[in-house]
Amino acid sequence: MISQFFILSPRGDVIIRRDFLGNVPKTSPEIFFRNCKFWSDDEEQQHDEAPPVFSVDGVTYLHTKEGGLQLVATTRDNVSPSFVLEFLRRMCIIIKDYCGLLTEDAVRKNFPLIYELLDEVMDYGVPQSTNTEALKTFVLNEPVVVAPSSSNPRSILSFNKGPTGVFKSVLDTSRTDSKRRDEIFVDVVERVTCTFNSSGYIVSSQVDGAVQIKSYLAGNPPLKIKLNDDLVIGKRDNPYGGRQADAGHSVFLDDCNFHECANLESFDVDRSITLVPPDGEFALINYRTTHGFKPPFRLQTTVEADPMTDSKAVLTLRLWCEVPADRGASGLEVEVPTPRYVQRAHCDLDPKATPGTQSWDYSEKTHLLKWKFKKCQGGQEFMLRCKLTLEKPYGPSLRMEVGPVNLKFTIPMYSASRITLKYLQILKRDKSYNPFRWVRYVTTSSSYTFRT
Amino acid sequence: MSDGKYFSTTKKGEIHEFKEELRSLEKSKKKDGVKKVIAAMTVGKDVAMLFPDMMNCMQTEDLELKKLVYLYCQNYAKTQPDLAIMAVNTFVKDSQDPNPLIRALAVRTMGCIRVDKITEYLCDPLQRCLKDDDPYVRKTAAICVAKLFDINPELVDDRGFLDQLRDLLSDANPMVVANALAALQEIQEISGKDMLQLSQNTLMKLLTALNDCTEWGQVFILDALAGFETRDPRDAEKIAERVLPRMQHVNSAVVLSAIKVILRMMDICQSADLVAAWSKKMAPPLVTLLGAEPEVQYVALRNINLVVQKRPSILANEVKVFFCKYNDPIYVKMEKLEIMIKLASDKNIDQVLLEFKEYAQEVDVDFVRKAVRAIGRCAVSIERAAEKCINVLLELIKAKVNYVVQEGVIVIKDIFRRYPNRYENIIATLCENLDSLDEPEAKASMVWIIGEYAERIDNADELLETFLDTFPEENSMVQLQLLTSTVKLFLKKPTESAQKMISLVLSCATNETDNPDLRDRAFIYWRLLSTDPEAAKDVVLAQKPVITDDVGNLDQGLLDQLLRQVATLSSVYHKPPEMFVSRQRLAVQKADELQDHQFEEEEVPGAASTSTAAVAAAATSAAPQVDLLNLDSGGPEAAAAPPRAVGGIDDLLGGLDISSTSSSTPAPQLPVLLSDPSKGLVIQGKILRQGGTVTYALVIINSSASPLDGLMLQTNRSTFGLGPVNVVLQVPSIAPSSTATALVPMLYDSTKILPGAASSKLEVAMKTNQAGVLYFADAVPLASLLEESGGIEGQAFLNAWKTLPPETPQRLQLTVFNIESAKQRLQAANLFVLAHRPVPGTSQEALYLTGKVGGINVQVLVEVRLTVGVPGMDVSFKSERTDLATMTFEAVAQILA
């Protein structure tokens, strides 16, 4: 079982430490930190990340990173690694649910609360109840909710799975004072993975999505959620590789799983789900689709010789944003790796573009060209012309060596799979009860690559 | 006010301040004090001396405060066993509290205190709590049985707790069932006996509980099911039917454990249809795991690697999901690549090759190399794809990226070996890139190609000649290959220049080298050529066996063993559990009492390092090494597939074996400091005192294929400024598979003293001509630093004892049976006994010891109080360097152990 659990700050300081079995030396956090930091034994390539499971002197270290912190478990037994890693992820969620967010500051300020939680969540290295809701009974400490530091605003591009912008402890719902605010967040979060070949055709594409719920409703009233009528779930509704995938407009999911609180009685009738939402953040549905997916961006890259001189080349990027015109990406970055013999680059932004919305940047050290957008409206076309100064005369192989081009983006109020929430009902008889309901959509890039 | 402030104070009188606050009558101030103590404990400060004050806070109605004190209690009870007894009354009282939370808290905490004396008091409350009305108390008590077993197994047996635990498997509450099961599994692990004793009856109960359990409980149940020994296919069907839906779970641990159960049941089930149906259901959940966080993906991929080897059909159509994403971490990419190679088939090879080609143009060098090798491996294993693979490789080589070219040459050599006389038309392209080859393996591969196809390459002699210029400086791998290829060239095209070259090489290899392998091989060729050139042709130019791609494929027996370990660490390391789990659990001892080298001694030698390397080793393909070893010999002995080609030649020559170092000498048992399988080097060693000087005893094991020489040793700055007297080690060249020992005298170098808190850590660098510089860390035992002249006068001792800063106490778990021999041992270790007297009013005896630590020239004073024949001794330490306390305690423990 798990011998120790500890949380390390980005500098390697121990901020939470709990020893369950007492069979791993106390110095394990230092041993872990050293090994993790200098994983690669090759001096030139220290970029290698340590794998999430590794062993030093008979002790296995399992770790995950969140909010700059490292959550680590050690063991001497032949445990199930996914069991331990899932537990660490769950610890992240619990801390976030109770402290509002998971940062060094939040953990330091709430350490008695976290120890209290740990006491309930794990006994002798065996996970106990890890349900945010159930834990409430046992917790006595008041959370200190820390707002994220304003000097380091969360970049919109780092938007990952969960709903952001809510930094609130689940314990707030049991408050009786005026500070309490009943609200519920339902977020459809999708991550797009897409690879295009050099002619612009999709080689592979996938959307990993989740309907994330974060509930702060006192008394946990039941909810009813309805999804699109034309939703088809591949392995559930018809045999593998069935025909319906092509049947026009339906939203087709390859595979999905539901949270245990979901009641699916009427799901097959009208695609509605009833549930009693537990406190804290959870994923009601996780799904995956490779069908009927319209890529939000297309890109064309051309590389030509400069007619004036053979020590220069012209790189042209044409980008089409293919989401509806009333939507758009809030933050887009196009990354173009160039070969080592490119000395400098100079770009001309499209003179027609609104000034200040686009920028570019070339790093002579990493040879990476970045084209950045603050905002990128749907239905538009953009262009960037870039002059590359080469160390050696231009050759046609340059075309092969530029790229692959990678896009990073976040598109609010847009779901790539076209899954939609038709309604969100709070089933409580009291007519005066009208808490805030937030339904949001967001699509981000996981890996969005154009090969050249 | 927030709790963060508790971390901030580092003032001197801290402990005193804590005490004040803990004794405060004000409740909030008291709680504040307790929180500060817990914060200090978290950052690793020693707050054990506050034990009595903390105990006084325990009797309180305030549950929050009580929890914090209990937390402290778990941490320090071991160091203060006498005081811990004081807490027992509160525990026993709390275990009967009307509030179930407090009952459970008491039982939980009591079990965490590993003090023998307490366990007796634990039994009755535990007995009660196992039958408590509240499931929360019962589930806590179930785990407590496992805790008790760890401290005192006999007691658990005597009181019948095991049977009670088995009864709990049929409890109405699924949480209790899960914990009882977890406790039994843990006890089984510690004792090595079958504690579960699963019957048909309990099996059914577990299957029923499976649906209602928490996700963690489900994993325990699934693991128990996987271990259920049955031969009955009906059982297998029953289990599989219940377990199959678990593969849809959100928690990847549940999914993988369910897959393990199904894989087990497939072995037992006799219906091929059912097995096929189950396989079909297994694919989607496996694919879904790849959408999870990278950590979970990594574990899943390592497991999939095993599943695919056993049942390739499951994922045969899913190769696409293993395509690497741009932003995958490198450890995920490497694993995906490995699985892509395994899934590559006639049907999907075009797609797969296209991917590999893309990867071969990425930025990360290791990944690129692996991608190039992947292309080569596909060519070797899929005959129809060979030509396509070659074309892709040629395209890549034409881009002239240095490391791609080198890697490309290596894999093309493998392809030539697999399909002789088919693709030789590409040799010309390869020859264009001769200049860019600078890595030994690539060079050796190219030289092999030139030698093997000398008759088809017009200027083979010129090409080889360019390599010969640097013959003496080459790596031994290249030298051996040059030798063989020159002979091949001579036999195929006995021109004048070939003649000249052969005599040059043979004389170089026999006269100017100290590598016995090279010399031996040269002598063989020499004799062969001079006695019977035709026989030489038969030997050197004989038909070679065709190779296959078996890199990364595990041996069938090991694979079956590992498949039973799916969803465990074993399946990630690809090693059976015995290799990295030490059978002997060290649980009873508190961790901080353990010394690093104790660990190493308890393990199978090398096990620790191999498991560390497992992950790394899996990433680097070992294929070409094996191939090269075979083709090295270039003679018929390869057909017999000797484990080591060189060995084969030795046999052939009989008397000519000049290598003097004996192979496979059993190495003395020193702690392993470094083991680097990729460089074929293991270093064992320990710092000890010999004849009044500090000496580094080292054992260097060379398991690589070439001799090691030019050994040098250097140390980093450390607390005591230790460094070798002579940087160059007086060790002759170490032949392959042999061992050298060295006793390196050390000295103190004041410029190498690292200021700051004393630490036993010593960072060492070892350089060899072949393996380059290797780093490792060792611990300097204080016992090796105590000087022979360290004794002082009794009066001086007394004065020092009075003037020095307050002592550091520590309790050591040691038993002394003969005080005179203990004194002799201390004296022999340069800890001088100044006085020995009984402690008035007790049965204890006190020893006063002193010693001088070299390098920093500090006198340490130690008082030991012990009772002969009774476990445990109290040691107090005084010195101007209080930070030497821990090391001194370790030294005393080591000397008296």
Side-chain angles (χ1 to χ4, degrees):
Chain A
M1 276 300 109
I2 297 176
S3 291
Q4 296 168 319
F5 168 82
F6 48 85
I7 301 183
L8 295 184
S9 78
R11 291 174 309 284
D13 303 330
V14 185
I15 27 186
I16 295 288
R17 176 210 302 262
R18 194 82 163 79
D19 199 307
F20 296 106
L21 300 192
N23 59 0
V24 170
K26 256 188 176 171
T27 47
S28 58
E30 290 95 82
I31 298 174
F32 166 79
F33 191 70
R34 209 173 44 235
N35 275 284
C36 211
K37 198 152 185 196
F38 306 108
W39 178 252
S40 176
D41 48 7
D42 188 344
E43 281 160 49
E44 282 170 32
Q45 296 198 351
Q46 290 219 335
H47 62 92
D48 277 8
E49 296 159 80
V53 183
F54 64 85
S55 145
V56 179
D57 290 339
V59 177
T60 295
Y61 297 80
L62 300 111
H63 59 107
T64 186
K65 217 174 192 172
E66 176 98 29
L69 302 174
Q70 278 179 304
L71 285 84
V72 190
T74 63
T75 179
R76 280 184 173 274
D77 298 338
N78 188 23
V79 298
S80 159
S82 17
F83 182 82
V84 181
L85 291 168
E86 289 276 356
F87 173 77
L88 294 177
R89 304 289 327 171
R90 188 60 52 85
M91 264 326 283
C92 295
I93 296 175
I94 294 173
I95 295 175
K96 263 193 268 179
D97 282 344
Y98 277 88
C99 306
L101 77 169
L102 179 57
T103 60
E104 182 175 355
D105 201 26
V107 173
R108 280 190 193 274
K109 288 205 164 105
N110 286 294
F111 79 92
L113 173 64
I114 292 173
Y115 275 125
E116 207 179 0
L117 286 166
L118 255 179
D119 240 5
E120 294 304 329
V121 163
M122 181 156 274
D123 189 8
Y124 200 54
V126 181
Q128 304 293 306
S129 170
T130 52
N131 182 313
T132 299
E133 168 108 37
L135 287 170
K136 268 168 116 177
T137 339
F138 307 110
V139 173
L140 299 163
N141 275 287
E142 282 280 316
V144 181
V145 174
V146 191
S149 60
S150 53
S151 61
N152 182 19
R154 267 174 82 119
S155 157
I156 190 73
L157 289 175
S158 69
F159 190 111
N160 48 17
K161 261 185 143 180
T164 52
V166 200
F167 306 105
K168 189 170 164 180
S169 168
V170 286
L171 294 170
D172 280 359
T173 49
S174 43
R175 281 171 183 269
T176 42
D177 54 15
S178 58
K179 271 189 173 171
R180 196 182 90 192
R181 187 166 128 126
D182 272 16
E183 51 190 343
I184 179 163
F185 299 83
V186 179
D187 291 15
V188 177
V189 186
E190 298 194 335
R191 288 175 300 144
V192 178
T193 304
C194 199
T195 307
F196 299 83
N197 68 10
S198 51
S199 344
Y201 290 105
I202 295 180
V203 183
S204 68
S205 71
Q206 180 168 319
V207 178
D208 291 293
V211 177
Q212 296 270 350
I213 299 186
K214 205 168 187 179
S215 159
Y216 298 97
L217 299 179
N220 301 61
L223 299 177
K224 189 171 180 186
I225 286 175
K226 184 172 148 54
L227 302 173
N228 335 22
D229 287 312
D230 58 354
L231 184 72
V232 179
I233 297 166
K235 276 145 202 167
R236 179 190 164 94
D237 296 336
N238 56 309
Y240 190 76
R243 284 256 164 151
Q244 283 193 20
D246 321 316
H249 298 291
S250 54
V251 175
F252 192 93
L253 304 184
D254 291 21
D255 192 14
C256 79
N257 54 45
F258 297 91
H259 190 262
E260 54 201 14
C261 72
N263 177 354
L264 301 175
E265 259 167 29
S266 52
F267 187 73
D268 288 330
V269 182
D270 61 356
R271 292 296 181 229
S272 70
I273 304 168
T274 46
L275 68 148
V276 178
D279 277 330
E281 185 181 334
F282 68 98
L284 177 65
I285 316 172
N286 281 306
Y287 57 88
R288 175 167 64 83
T289 179
T290 50
H291 290 85
F293 157 75
K294 189 168 181 241
F297 292 98
R298 287 191 172 275
L299 181 100
Q300 195 187 49
T301 315
T302 46
V303 181
E304 292 155 341
D306 190 326
M308 317 293 281
T309 158
D310 68 350
S311 67
K312 279 191 181 169
V314 182
L315 169 73
T316 316
L317 299 172
R318 286 159 70 95
L319 176 77
W320 292 270
C321 181
E322 301 199 319
V323 299
D326 58 342
R327 301 275 191 274
S330 64
L332 165 69
E333 227 174 86
V334 182
E335 284 180 355
V336 191
T338 62
R340 276 179 209 175
Y341 57 84
V342 174
Q343 278 178 330
R344 282 185 305 278
H346 180 84
C347 298
D348 293 313
L349 292 169
D350 196 339
K352 284 177 286 180
T354 330
T357 53
Q358 296 178 27
S359 62
W360 66 273
D361 167 50
Y362 184 80
S363 157
E364 276 152 37
K365 210 171 144 209
T366 56
H367 302 275
L368 197 64
L369 170 69
K370 283 188 185 171
W371 182 19
K372 299 177 198 165
F373 293 74
K374 279 190 183 145
K375 212 166 159 41
C376 171
Q377 211 56 42
Q380 286 187 348
E381 185 185 334
F382 305 91
M383 199 172 75
L384 182 78
R385 273 168 62 86
C386 181
K387 267 204 179 147
L388 306 174
T389 311
L390 312 173
E391 264 170 22
K392 60 179 193 190
Y394 172 85
S397 74
L398 180 64
R399 201 188 129 50
M400 295 273 294
E401 290 169 76
V402 167
V405 182
N406 190 43
L407 260 63
K408 292 185 195 163
F409 54 81
T410 304
I411 314 173
M413 297 321 283
Y414 176 78
S415 75
S417 67
R418 288 175 296 147
I419 204 167
T420 37
L421 242 64
K422 290 294 178 201
Y423 59 74
L424 163 63
Q425 233 179 339
I426 296 170
L427 304 173
K428 195 170 180 181
R429 289 198 191 95
D430 189 357
K431 281 270 181 315
S432 63
Y433 185 67
N434 199 13
F436 294 95
R437 281 173 286 182
W438 308 94
V439 176
R440 304 181 295 190
Y441 297 84
V442 69
T443 294
T444 59
S445 54
S446 166
S447 162
Y448 202 88
T449 312
F450 295 88
R451 290 179 175 165
T452 45
Chain B
M1 263 214 291
S2 67
D3 292 329
K5 65 178 187 292
Y6 299 121
F7 285 93
S8 52
T9 47
T10 46
K11 279 169 283 168
K12 264 215 153 170
E14 209 176 23
I15 296 291
H16 183 70
E17 251 176 58
F18 289 162
K19 268 191 188 158
E20 291 281 291
E21 279 186 79
L22 292 178
R23 286 175 186 164
S24 164
L25 294 174
E26 242 177 280
K27 226 176 171 185
S28 64
K29 208 162 179 196
K30 202 176 217 176
K31 205 186 268 183
D32 256 15
V34 172
K35 284 184 183 173
K36 276 185 197 163
V37 174
I38 302 281
M41 191 174 90
T42 298
V43 295
K45 281 181 204 160
D46 188 14
V47 285
M49 56 291 252
L50 294 170
F51 202 87
D53 296 286
M54 289 294 275
M55 285 304 105
N56 286 335
C57 302
M58 198 162 163
Q59 291 216 9
T60 169
E61 291 303 304
D62 186 339
L63 192 52
E64 188 188 345
L65 186 59
K66 189 174 270 237
K67 279 186 176 178
L68 289 170
V69 179
Y70 273 22
L71 180 66
Y72 174 89
C73 197
Q74 291 175 28
N75 249 308
Y76 285 111
K78 183 79 183 176
T79 52
Q80 311 273 343
D82 300 327
L83 291 168
I85 288 286
M86 283 166 45
V88 166
N89 278 334
T90 321
F91 285 142
V92 174
K93 202 171 123 235
D94 281 355
S95 74
Q96 285 161 304
D97 197 278
N99 183 349
L101 290 187
I102 297 186
R103 290 204 296 277
L105 183 63
V107 175
R108 187 166 67 208
T109 312
M110 247 181 174
C112 294
I113 300 174
R114 300 160 178 284
V115 181
D116 277 341
K117 286 181 199 163
I118 283 194
T119 50
E120 300 157 25
Y121 300 93
L122 182 58
C123 289
D124 290 328
L126 181 56
Q127 199 81 265
R128 265 197 309 276
C129 290
L130 280 168
K131 295 201 170 80
D132 202 286
D133 290 338
D134 196 294
Y136 180 71
V137 181
R138 286 203 302 279
K139 71 136 189 163
T140 313
I143 294 287
C144 192
V145 176
K147 295 178 189 170
L148 187 61
F149 189 89
D150 200 10
I151 311 169
N152 195 340
E154 294 84 27
L155 199 60
V156 173
D157 229 11
D158 293 348
R159 300 289 294 243
F161 285 135
L162 288 175
D163 292 327
Q164 270 181 289
L165 213 47
R166 281 192 278 262
D167 288 344
L168 286 182
L169 288 181
S170 4
D171 197 281
N173 185 298
M175 193 76 199
V176 179
V177 178
N179 271 8
L181 191 58
L184 282 169
Q185 279 170 342
E186 177 73 17
I187 292 174
Q188 190 159 307
E189 189 82 13
I190 302 171
S191 65
K193 290 185 212 133
D194 177 24
M195 290 291 168
L196 279 177
Q197 300 168 2
L198 271 190
S199 64
Q200 280 287 344
N201 194 13
T202 37
L203 178 72
M204 282 320 293
K205 278 177 186 148
L206 289 183
L207 283 176
T208 331
L210 186 57
N211 284 327
D212 308 321
C213 263
T214 63
E215 50 210 300
W216 317 114
Q218 292 186 18
V219 175
F220 294 132
I221 294 182
L222 290 168
D223 285 348
L225 291 176
F228 182 64
E229 291 298 336
T230 175
R231 296 243 150 269
D232 189 347
R234 276 169 305 171
D235 278 347
E237 281 169 39
K238 201 164 59 191
I239 294 175
E241 192 187 314
R242 292 293 192 104
V243 170
L244 277 170
R246 295 295 106 203
M247 297 198 301
Q248 303 294 326
H249 205 280
V250 201
N251 187 316
S252 67
V254 177
V255 177
L256 278 177
S257 286
I259 284 174
K260 167 163 67 180
V261 177
I262 301 291
L263 284 171
R264 272 285 287 138
M265 296 310 142
M266 280 178 171
D267 291 341
I268 301 161
C269 178
Q270 282 163 353
S271 151
D273 289 349
L274 269 181
V275 171
W278 295 347
S279 305
K280 210 168 178 184
K281 285 191 176 151
M282 212 181 265
L286 282 175
V287 172
T288 304
L289 288 178
L290 297 180
E293 291 82 8
E295 295 94 22
V296 175
Q297 275 187 54
Y298 173 74
V299 174
L301 287 165
R302 294 291 289 172
N303 278 292
I304 289 173
N305 190 321
L306 297 175
V307 175
V308 164
Q309 284 184 52
K310 172 86 177 183
R311 299 186 184 274
S313 62
I314 294 180
L315 292 167
N317 297 321
E318 305 280 359
V319 72
K320 253 183 139 173
V321 299
F322 296 99
F323 288 0
C324 299
K325 292 183 190 173
Y326 183 79
N327 54 346
D328 279 336
I330 186 76
Y331 56 80
V332 167
K333 284 187 176 173
M334 292 294 203
E335 295 306 322
K336 282 188 172 173
L337 210 54
E338 195 60 44
I339 293 171
M340 284 169 75
I341 300 171
K342 293 208 162 77
L343 291 179
S345 65
D346 273 347
K347 274 189 220 152
N348 57 25
I349 187 70
D350 289 338
Q351 240 181 340
V352 170
L353 266 183
L354 220 62
E355 283 294 310
F356 286 159
K357 193 180 153 196
E358 285 295 332
Y359 304 159
Q361 295 168 27
E362 280 198 19
V363 193
D364 189 293
V365 178
D366 289 340
F367 183 57
V368 168
R369 284 176 184 271
K370 180 131 182 167
V372 177
R373 295 234 172 178
I375 300 174
R377 284 170 59 186
C378 282
V380 170
S381 54
I382 307 172
E383 186 164 358
R384 278 169 53 192
E387 184 148 5
K388 286 176 195 157
C389 294
I390 293 235
N391 289 337
V392 173
L393 285 170
L394 282 181
E395 239 178 282
L396 290 172
I397 288 176
K398 277 177 189 154
K400 292 201 189 293
V401 178
N402 182 287
Y403 48 85
V404 175
V405 174
Q406 316 234 20
E407 214 61 36
V409 169
I410 295 169
V411 302
I412 286 180
K413 168 229 31 180
D414 288 340
I415 296 175
F416 283 173
R417 291 211 58 199
R418 170 71 177 78
Y419 309 106
N421 306 320
R422 217 186 285 180
Y423 301 110
E424 284 70 30
N425 51 344
I426 65 168
I427 292 176
T429 321
L430 296 185
C431 291
E432 288 164 20
N433 294 292
L434 280 188
D435 301 340
S436 60
L437 303 179
D438 51 13
E439 289 166 22
E441 201 185 343
K443 264 190 186 176
S445 300
M446 192 66 217
V447 172
W448 180 84
I449 292 173
I450 299 173
E452 187 66 20
Y453 298 102
E455 71 275 25
R456 316 218 188 153
I457 307 171
D458 294 339
N459 56 346
D461 47 352
E462 285 169 35
L463 294 175
L464 274 186
E465 211 164 358
T466 55
F467 286 103
L468 282 181
D469 293 344
T470 52
F471 185 83
E473 292 96 58
E474 291 292 359
N475 177 293
S476 60
M477 184 195 268
V478 184
Q479 287 180 329
L480 284 166
Q481 209 43 62
L482 270 173
L483 173 63
T484 306
S485 289
T486 318
V487 174
K488 284 183 187 167
L489 171 77
F490 174 73
L491 290 172
K492 288 178 175 178
K493 288 201 235 171
T495 59
E496 201 176 315
S497 69
Q499 185 114 38
K500 227 189 283 167
M501 276 160 69
I502 191 99
S503 56
L504 178 82
V505 171
L506 286 178
S507 79
C508 240
T510 48
N511 296 329
E512 288 166 36
T513 174
D514 46 10
N515 177 349
D517 285 347
L518 185 64
R519 208 159 36 191
D520 286 359
R521 195 185 284 189
F523 275 125
I524 294 185
Y525 288 143
W526 203 323
R527 284 199 173 180
L528 268 173
L529 292 170
S530 54
T531 47
D532 187 354
E534 278 313 306
K537 260 188 192 170
D538 289 344
V539 171
V540 181
L541 305 179
Q543 189 93 42
K544 274 163 288 294
V546 170
I547 58 163
T548 53
D549 174 50
D550 51 6
V551 187
N553 280 343
L554 298 165
D555 157 81
Q556 196 58 42
L558 180 61
L559 178 63
D560 283 336
Q561 202 184 348
L562 289 180
L563 276 167
R564 298 197 62 162
Q565 298 289 343
V566 160
T568 66
L569 283 177
S570 204
S571 67
V572 170
Y573 296 147
H574 289 187
K575 289 197 183 307
E578 328 50 290
M579 300 273 293
F580 60 92
V581 178
S582 40
R583 271 289 104 203
Q584 190 63 47
R585 287 276 303 255
L586 310 156
V588 193
Q589 277 168 289
K590 193 77 186 139
D592 38 328
E593 287 166 22
L594 303 176
Q595 291 159 28
D596 286 0
H597 37 270
Q598 275 182 339
F599 281 98
E600 281 158 47
E601 280 158 13
E602 300 223 8
E603 273 155 24
V604 194
S609 43
T610 39
S611 45
T612 328
V615 183
T620 55
S621 141
Q625 265 174 346
V626 177
D627 290 340
L628 262 186
L629 275 177
N630 280 336
L631 70 88
D632 260 352
S633 53
E637 60 271 16
R644 293 180 38 75
V646 182
I649 304 179
D650 284 347
D651 293 344
L652 203 71
L653 260 190
L656 248 172
D657 190 350
I658 352 172
S659 122
S660 57
T661 30
S662 61
S663 297
S664 67
T665 338
Q669 284 303 311
L670 288 174
V672 177
L673 298 170
L674 173 101
S675 167
D676 190 336
S678 65
K679 289 181 175 145
L681 185 65
V682 177
I683 300 172
Q684 301 174 334
K686 194 172 183 176
I687 296 171
L688 35 90
R689 195 168 188 88
Q690 215 178 37
T693 46
V694 186
T695 308
Y696 210 151
L698 285 171
V699 175
I700 301 132
I701 305 165
N702 177 12
S703 53
S704 70
S706 50
L708 271 181
D709 54 24
L711 276 76
M712 287 159 99
L713 186 78
Q714 193 50 278
T715 59
N716 203 346
R717 295 208 301 164
S718 65
T719 302
F720 307 102
L722 266 188
V725 173
N726 197 343
V727 175
V728 178
L729 293 192
Q730 302 304 319
V731 177
S733 162
I734 312 170
S737 318
S738 57
T739 302
T741 51
L743 289 173
V744 185
M746 308 286 276
L747 50 71
Y748 301 110
D749 181 346
S750 56
T751 59
K752 277 189 158 185
I753 290 182
L754 183 71
S759 150
S760 58
K761 197 175 137 192
L762 182 67
E763 291 171 330
V764 189
M766 165 92 69
K767 182 171 180 271
T768 71
N769 283 348
Q770 287 73 22
V773 185
L774 300 155
Y775 299 93
F776 54 88
D778 197 1
V780 183
L782 189 80
S784 67
L785 305 177
L786 293 170
E787 307 251 306
E788 277 70 14
S789 59
I792 52 171
E793 291 294 312
Q795 196 52 45
F797 184 93
L798 273 181
N799 290 342
W801 189 266
K802 282 179 197 148
T803 50
L804 283 171
E807 69 251 39
T808 320
Q810 172 90 7
R811 196 170 166 80
L812 297 177
Q813 289 304 320
L814 287 170
T815 318
V816 169
F817 293 103
N818 181 344
I819 197 134
E820 283 311 315
S821 85
K823 278 162 75 178
Q824 274 168 17
R825 269 188 282 165
L826 289 165
Q827 201 90 26
N830 295 339
L831 262 184
F832 300 93
V833 182
L834 276 183
H836 170 202
R837 59 172 78 108
V839 182
T842 65
S843 60
Q844 286 191 318
E845 295 179 72
L847 291 177
Y848 294 92
L849 316 168
T850 185
K852 194 167 125 198
V853 182
I856 49 176
N857 288 324
V858 172
Q859 198 75 32
V860 295
L861 312 181
V862 178
E863 183 203 48
V864 179
R865 283 175 182 235
L866 57 90
T867 311
V868 174
V870 172
M873 60 171 68
D874 291 303
V875 184
S876 305
F877 167 89
K878 269 195 176 205
S879 169
E880 47 187 304
R881 289 286 296 267
T882 48
D883 50 347
L884 289 171
T886 327
M887 289 177 70
T888 310
F889 295 140
E890 279 172 14
V892 172
Q894 209 182 6
I895 296 165
L896 292 181

